Amino acid sequence: MIGLGLCGLGLVLLALGGLGLWRFSSPYSRLQGAGVGETGGTLLFLAGLLTYTGQVDGVTILLLALLLFTGPIATHSIAKGAFVRGEKEQP
Amino acid sequence: MFALAIGLTAIPPFLRLWQGPSLWDRLAGASGVNTRITLMLATHALFSGQELLLDVALAYAALGFLGVVLVARFGEGGAG
């Protein structure tokens, strides 16, 4: 039951991240919305998946840790690239 | 069922990937689609019992992340 709740929460966060990515006006706010939503949503969803199916094996925890670390790094590198190339901050 | 739900959340990043005005929106969309695909792989692996798919999801997450970062670095300076 807890797993289902966690999975649902993760799905909500993922959907909100995607919505943010789609609806925001400037690239930076899209990046911020998507990055936060994805990383949190992935964390919750995988945790929910683990508790729901009960098969807790090392690879899934490694996957969770990997996604937890690489998400923000990817968003940072995209934002840095956009900033270096002088992407303007539209209102 | 879970994989389908994740697939539905993959639509907005794909739209952004498709029509994002600048390269950076497309990269954000690509990163979004990547994480959702790894989640779909992980759910399918856990529910169908094929443990091997989890390693595939791990490799896919690492390579997808690498690709996004490299394209971002390339788009940033090029000469470097």
Side-chain angles (χ1 to χ4, degrees), chain A residues 11-91:
Chain A
L11 275 175
V12 164
L13 263 177
L14 275 168
L16 285 179
L19 192 66
L21 185 68
W22 186 39
R23 290 295 297 176
F24 280 162
S25 61
S26 84
Y28 295 107
S29 47
R30 280 182 206 135
L31 265 174
Q32 209 268 340
V36 170
E38 268 163 39
T39 317
T42 318
L43 175 73
L44 283 176
F45 186 79
L46 277 178
L49 212 58
L50 282 181
T51 50
Y52 185 71
T53 55
Q55 308 160 2
V56 182
D57 57 347
V59 180
T60 321
I61 296 176
L62 202 64
L63 183 67
L64 193 125
L66 178 78
L67 284 177
L68 197 58
F69 285 129
T70 53
I73 295 177
T75 313
H76 164 73
S77 62
I78 300 173
K80 178 173 180 293
F83 180 71
V84 164
R85 295 298 286 184
E87 190 74 29
K88 277 165 299 304
E89 169 69 41
Q90 289 96 354

Side-chain angles (χ1 to χ4, degrees), chain B residues 18-47:
Chain B
W18 186 266
Q19 47 110 354
S22 72
L23 163 70
W24 314 108
D25 305 313
R26 291 199 169 94
L27 273 179
S31 165
V33 171
N34 273 338
T35 48
R36 284 160 175 86
I37 288 180
T38 47
L39 283 181
M40 274 196 266
L41 261 171
T43 46
H44 184 63
L46 282 178
F47 278 121

